[in-house]
Amino acid sequence: MKVSALKNQEQILRGSLWRAVLALAIPVIINSFLQTMYNLTDTYWLGKLGTEQLAAINLVSPVQSIIINFGSGITMAGSVLIAQYIGAGEKKNAKGMANQIFMCAMCFAAVCATLCFLFTPGIVGWLKADGETFSHAVMYLRVVVWDMPFLYMVNIFSAVHQSQGDTLTPMFLNLGGILLNMILDPTLIVACGMGVAGAALATLLAKMVPAGVAFFLLTRKGNGIELDRRYMRFEKEKLKLILKIGLPTAIGGSTMQLGFLLMSRNVFAYGNQAMAAYGIGNRVNGLITLPTNGIGSAVATIVGQNMGAGQKDRADRGYRISMGISIVMLIAGGMILSRDFISRAVVSIFSDDGEVIAMAADFLSIMAFWCFTNGVYNSTIGLFNGTGHTEVTVAVEASRLWVFRFLTLWFCESILHMGVRSIWYSVVVSNGISSVILLILYFTGIWKKSKIKVGAGNHKEERTS
């Protein structure tokens, strides 16, 4: 794996950018697919139990996502900063940054998991859940929040390896977790009769094992960048960099997930069946857009290393190639999945309720047809993240949800009286507008002035990429 990472680093900085994009993106795509399978497996087995159980998980999933996305801002910052240090040839600073990220993420995860556990009943009540849906939602969230430290551990491992050009090892790590989850879900949900609690416990246990392996591998000597007690003291300059790059993304990601939570509240107003359909459609659409998510991550690494090495034109070329690949893949996949008979067949896997199937298929068809805009969106987000302009990505992501999505939702509901389809169209319209805005910002060239400064092993001798 270490040899592979070195080859990828050489490819990123001096080799074929096509090969670099594919070498980085394919394992990330597979890894993202494996992560998505955690939720899809829960959705499949809970769909066999009943609509209330499925609706309960879909209702509270954004709550967990709010906290996860805040912590992910920290690990994303770590990946970008480590990549730029590597591009500048500063391995010692890269190692120090990895240890800073570890300490920050673990402290944050422990505090947030505790607070979320304590306030779960109030949160679920605010979402207007009642009866069985309330009970199932509280049970699920109170168990699953404890997977945060383990999830962050795996994310840190992925960030450290991805920044070095190794996306293969994290993929194998997550493969072990999803295989374990696929065994535990039917065992705990059905065989042991634990229902929603079994789904949450299966997810928690399946993340504990990869997290343990990740910690062992990160503390093993000879990896170049590893966790080391000698570096585990908070360093003011590195913490400033983490906050500078990661805090906008953390706040933006959490704010966006809060918006998703409000969207869930709006969907739930149409009933349990609409909530179940919304969750199924979103999760299946997540599979369609996996390639562009993986390529977006590859863009951040390629741009980060090349900007660190002072190669702006090469960073730009890597972005353009990545976006082209994303758009072509999503157009092809979207055209297939947007066909009504195909979308119905897919969503039928997760529910036996005819009304849920009809709504989920309609939602999926609309999203799949327009999903090519995600190719523009995620690739350009990767470009701005790779240069440290996370304030741009935060502004666009916040506007996408809080302005464009809710405005479209209001217009479709109040003016056009489209009912539950207002939810579906608010998603695709907001994604499309945000993609256009990101392209305009790209052509302004503001990304060319990197906000991350590295140089000569310390922060007093800085140079701008």
Side-chain angles (χ1 to χ4, degrees), residues 414-458:
S414 303
I415 307 300
L416 301 180
H417 306 292
M418 294 172 61
V420 74
R421 293 192 100 200
S422 304
I423 306 288
W424 312 162
Y425 279 100
S426 70
V427 174
V428 297
V429 170
S430 60
N431 288 348
I433 293 173
S434 301
S435 299
V436 172
I437 290 173
L438 280 169
L439 269 183
I440 293 171
L441 291 172
Y442 161 73
F443 284 115
T444 65
I446 59 174
W447 62 271
K448 293 181 180 179
K449 187 177 181 181
S450 177
K451 292 189 70 176
I452 303 172
K453 296 181 179 181
V454 296
N458 61 64

Side-chain angles (χ1 to χ4, degrees), residues 113-127:
T114 302
L115 292 176
C116 190
F117 178 85
L118 294 174
F119 291 108
T120 288
I123 293 169
V124 177
W126 176 78
L127 289 169

Side-chain angles (χ1 to χ4, degrees), residues 3-330:
V3 172
S4 175
L6 291 172
K7 286 182 178 179
N8 284 346
Q9 286 179 41
E10 180 67 22
Q11 199 78 259
I12 289 167
L13 295 174
R14 285 170 285 277
S16 165
L17 284 170
W18 283 88
R19 291 182 180 177
V21 170
L22 294 176
L24 289 173
I26 290 174
V28 173
I29 292 168
I30 297 172
N31 192 20
S32 298
F33 170 76
L34 296 174
Q35 291 280 9
T36 303
M37 286 302 295
Y38 279 115
N39 287 331
L40 282 176
T41 304
D42 287 349
T43 301
Y44 173 80
W45 287 106
L46 286 172
K48 302 300 180 185
L49 294 180
T51 302
E52 287 79 12
Q53 288 89 335
L54 191 55
I57 282 190
N58 292 333
L59 183 65
V60 298
S61 289
V63 177
Q64 186 190 18
S65 297
I66 290 172
I67 305 169
I68 289 173
N69 272 263
F70 196 97
S72 294
I74 299 172
T75 54
M76 184 284 299
S79 180
V80 171
L81 289 165
I82 294 169
Q84 289 226 7
Y85 278 130
I86 290 171
E90 298 184 19
K91 291 293 180 69
K92 186 176 180 180
N93 265 332
K95 181 177 179 179
M97 182 58 70
N99 283 268
Q100 297 296 302
I101 294 295
F102 170 77
M103 291 188 293
C104 290
M106 289 299 103
C107 290
F108 177 81
V111 171
C112 283
T114 302
L115 292 176
C116 190
F117 178 85
L118 294 174
F119 291 108
T120 288
I123 293 169
V124 177
W126 176 78
L127 289 169
K128 298 191 180 301
D130 54 16
E132 286 191 25
T133 304
F134 177 87
S135 301
H136 292 317
V138 170
M139 175 67 73
Y140 182 81
L141 189 57
R142 275 197 151 171
V143 175
V144 85
V145 291
W146 296 110
D147 78 347
M148 287 179 198
F150 308 114
L151 178 62
Y152 286 172
M153 186 70 251
V154 174
N155 286 348
I156 292 165
F157 179 85
S158 298
V160 168
H161 281 257
Q162 183 173 319
S163 63
Q164 298 176 82
D166 173 22
T167 54
L168 199 59
T169 310
M171 181 196 77
F172 283 119
L173 188 66
N174 279 294
L175 175 61
I178 185 57
L179 290 175
L180 181 58
N181 192 52
M182 291 177 73
I183 295 170
L184 290 173
D185 257 342
T187 302
L188 297 179
I189 295 173
V190 181
C192 296
M194 295 177 66
V196 170
L201 186 59
T203 301
L204 174 63
L205 293 174
K207 288 180 181 176
M208 288 177 65
V209 175
V213 175
F215 182 76
F216 170 76
L217 293 176
L218 280 175
T219 53
R220 192 173 59 177
K221 302 296 182 183
N223 290 326
I225 298 177
E226 70 268 346
L227 298 180
D228 191 326
R229 284 192 302 177
R230 291 174 298 175
Y231 290 85
M232 285 191 189
R233 61 185 186 280
F234 288 111
E235 297 179 38
K236 185 178 179 181
E237 293 301 321
K238 286 186 171 62
L239 289 175
K240 282 183 179 178
L241 273 177
I242 293 170
L243 290 176
K244 180 180 179 181
I245 305 303
L247 192 58
T249 301
I251 294 173
S254 295
T255 303
M256 188 171 65
Q257 290 299 327
L258 177 59
F260 287 139
L261 190 64
L262 292 176
M263 282 291 291
S264 295
R265 198 178 184 214
N266 281 319
V267 177
F268 195 63
Y270 289 98
N272 279 331
Q273 291 173 317
M275 191 70 242
Y278 180 67
I280 292 172
N282 270 331
R283 283 179 166 84
V284 177
N285 184 62
L287 288 176
I288 311 171
T289 56
L290 281 180
T292 187
N293 293 336
I295 290 173
S297 295
V299 170
T301 300
I302 290 170
V303 169
Q305 287 203 21
N306 278 289
M307 293 297 283
Q311 302 178 155
K312 294 179 184 178
D313 290 341
R314 187 172 175 83
D316 187 19
R317 201 158 66 251
Y319 158 71
R320 288 173 177 263
I321 289 171
S322 301
M323 183 170 63
I325 295 172
S326 290
I327 292 173
V328 170
M329 292 177 72
L330 289 181

